[in-house]
Short mmCIF file of all heavy atoms in Angstrom, two decimals:
data_model
loop_
_atom_site.label_atom_id
_atom_site.label_comp_id
_atom_site.label_asym_id
_atom_site.label_seq_id
_atom_site.Cartn_x
_atom_site.Cartn_y
_atom_site.Cartn_z
N MET E 32 -6.51 128.21 125.35
CA MET E 32 -6.26 127.40 124.17
C MET E 32 -4.70 127.18 124.06
O MET E 32 -3.90 128.15 124.26
CB MET E 32 -6.76 128.12 122.96
CG MET E 32 -6.48 127.44 121.66
SD MET E 32 -7.10 128.20 120.16
CE MET E 32 -8.82 127.59 120.25
N ALA E 52 -2.12 130.15 118.27
CA ALA E 52 -3.08 129.17 118.77
C ALA E 52 -3.74 128.43 117.61
O ALA E 52 -4.32 127.29 117.79
CB ALA E 52 -4.24 129.97 119.52
N GLY E 53 -3.73 128.96 116.36
CA GLY E 53 -4.35 128.24 115.24
C GLY E 53 -3.95 128.86 113.91
O GLY E 53 -3.60 130.02 113.81
N LEU E 54 -4.03 128.06 112.83
CA LEU E 54 -3.79 128.53 111.46
C LEU E 54 -4.84 127.94 110.60
O LEU E 54 -5.33 126.87 110.84
CB LEU E 54 -2.46 127.98 111.00
CG LEU E 54 -1.12 128.40 111.74
CD1 LEU E 54 -0.02 127.47 111.38
CD2 LEU E 54 -0.85 129.79 111.39
N VAL E 55 -5.13 128.74 109.54
CA VAL E 55 -5.93 128.23 108.49
C VAL E 55 -5.26 128.52 107.17
O VAL E 55 -4.83 129.57 106.96
CB VAL E 55 -7.40 128.95 108.39
CG1 VAL E 55 -8.15 128.45 107.21
CG2 VAL E 55 -8.14 128.60 109.75
N GLN E 80 -5.43 132.99 101.09
CA GLN E 80 -5.22 133.56 102.45
C GLN E 80 -4.74 132.68 103.49
O GLN E 80 -4.95 131.40 103.38
CB GLN E 80 -6.70 134.01 102.90
CG GLN E 80 -7.23 135.19 102.10
CD GLN E 80 -8.54 135.64 102.68
OE1 GLN E 80 -9.25 134.92 103.41
NE2 GLN E 80 -8.91 136.92 102.47
N ILE E 81 -4.05 133.25 104.44
CA ILE E 81 -3.62 132.54 105.63
C ILE E 81 -4.20 133.26 106.87
O ILE E 81 -4.06 134.52 106.89
CB ILE E 81 -2.03 132.49 105.74
CG1 ILE E 81 -1.45 131.56 104.63
CG2 ILE E 81 -1.71 131.94 107.15
CD1 ILE E 81 0.02 131.53 104.73
N LYS E 82 -4.87 132.52 107.72
CA LYS E 82 -5.40 133.16 108.96
C LYS E 82 -4.55 132.65 110.10
O LYS E 82 -4.37 131.50 110.31
CB LYS E 82 -6.84 132.76 109.21
CG LYS E 82 -7.40 133.49 110.28
CD LYS E 82 -8.83 133.06 110.73
CE LYS E 82 -9.70 132.75 109.63
NZ LYS E 82 -11.12 132.36 110.14
N ILE E 83 -4.00 133.57 110.92
CA ILE E 83 -3.19 133.24 112.09
C ILE E 83 -3.92 133.78 113.40
O ILE E 83 -4.28 134.94 113.36
CB ILE E 83 -1.85 133.94 111.96
CG1 ILE E 83 -1.09 133.58 110.68
CG2 ILE E 83 -0.92 133.71 113.24
CD1 ILE E 83 0.19 134.44 110.38
N THR E 84 -4.19 132.86 114.26
CA THR E 84 -4.77 133.25 115.51
C THR E 84 -3.82 133.20 116.63
O THR E 84 -3.14 132.19 116.82
CB THR E 84 -5.97 132.34 115.85
OG1 THR E 84 -6.88 132.29 114.75
CG2 THR E 84 -6.69 132.66 117.13
N ARG E 85 -3.70 134.32 117.32
CA ARG E 85 -2.72 134.38 118.44
C ARG E 85 -3.19 135.46 119.41
O ARG E 85 -3.73 136.52 118.99
CB ARG E 85 -1.31 134.62 118.05
CG ARG E 85 -1.08 135.94 117.26
CD ARG E 85 0.42 135.97 116.79
NE ARG E 85 1.38 135.96 117.67
CZ ARG E 85 2.40 136.70 117.71
NH1 ARG E 85 2.67 137.56 116.79
NH2 ARG E 85 3.31 136.68 118.74
N GLY E 86 -3.16 135.18 120.68
CA GLY E 86 -3.56 136.17 121.73
C GLY E 86 -5.02 136.54 121.57
O GLY E 86 -5.38 137.72 121.82
N GLY E 87 -5.86 135.70 121.00
CA GLY E 87 -7.25 136.02 120.88
C GLY E 87 -7.61 136.86 119.67
O GLY E 87 -8.73 137.21 119.43
N GLU E 88 -6.58 137.19 118.86
CA GLU E 88 -6.84 138.03 117.69
C GLU E 88 -6.43 137.28 116.46
O GLU E 88 -5.57 136.45 116.45
CB GLU E 88 -5.94 139.29 117.84
CG GLU E 88 -6.39 140.23 118.92
CD GLU E 88 -5.63 141.53 118.94
OE1 GLU E 88 -4.96 141.77 117.88
OE2 GLU E 88 -5.60 142.15 119.96
N GLU E 89 -7.10 137.54 115.34
CA GLU E 89 -6.89 136.89 114.05
C GLU E 89 -6.24 137.87 113.08
O GLU E 89 -6.61 139.02 113.00
CB GLU E 89 -8.18 136.40 113.41
CG GLU E 89 -8.73 135.24 114.17
CD GLU E 89 -9.99 134.76 113.51
OE1 GLU E 89 -10.57 135.38 112.53
OE2 GLU E 89 -10.56 133.72 114.02
N THR E 90 -5.17 137.40 112.42
CA THR E 90 -4.55 138.16 111.32
C THR E 90 -4.77 137.44 110.09
O THR E 90 -4.50 136.18 110.00
CB THR E 90 -3.05 138.32 111.66
OG1 THR E 90 -2.83 138.97 112.87
CG2 THR E 90 -2.33 139.08 110.51
N VAL E 91 -5.26 138.10 109.03
CA VAL E 91 -5.49 137.44 107.71
C VAL E 91 -4.49 138.17 106.72
O VAL E 91 -4.41 139.36 106.64
CB VAL E 91 -6.93 137.56 107.29
CG1 VAL E 91 -7.08 136.94 105.92
CG2 VAL E 91 -7.80 136.93 108.26
N CYS E 92 -3.75 137.31 105.98
CA CYS E 92 -2.82 137.88 104.98
C CYS E 92 -2.88 137.06 103.69
O CYS E 92 -3.37 135.93 103.64
CB CYS E 92 -1.40 137.97 105.46
SG CYS E 92 -0.89 136.38 106.34
N LEU E 115 2.40 140.05 104.98
CA LEU E 115 1.98 139.93 106.37
C LEU E 115 1.85 141.30 106.98
O LEU E 115 2.62 142.10 106.80
CB LEU E 115 2.99 139.05 107.13
CG LEU E 115 2.64 138.68 108.57
CD1 LEU E 115 1.39 137.87 108.68
CD2 LEU E 115 3.83 137.94 109.17
#
Side-chain angles (χ1 to χ4, degrees):
M32 182 178 273
L54 296 165
V55 176
Q80 291 185 336
I81 292 179
K82 186 187 323 181
I83 302 167
T84 304
R85 63 189 296 222
E88 295 185 17
E89 292 182 352
T90 301
V91 178
C92 50
L115 186 63

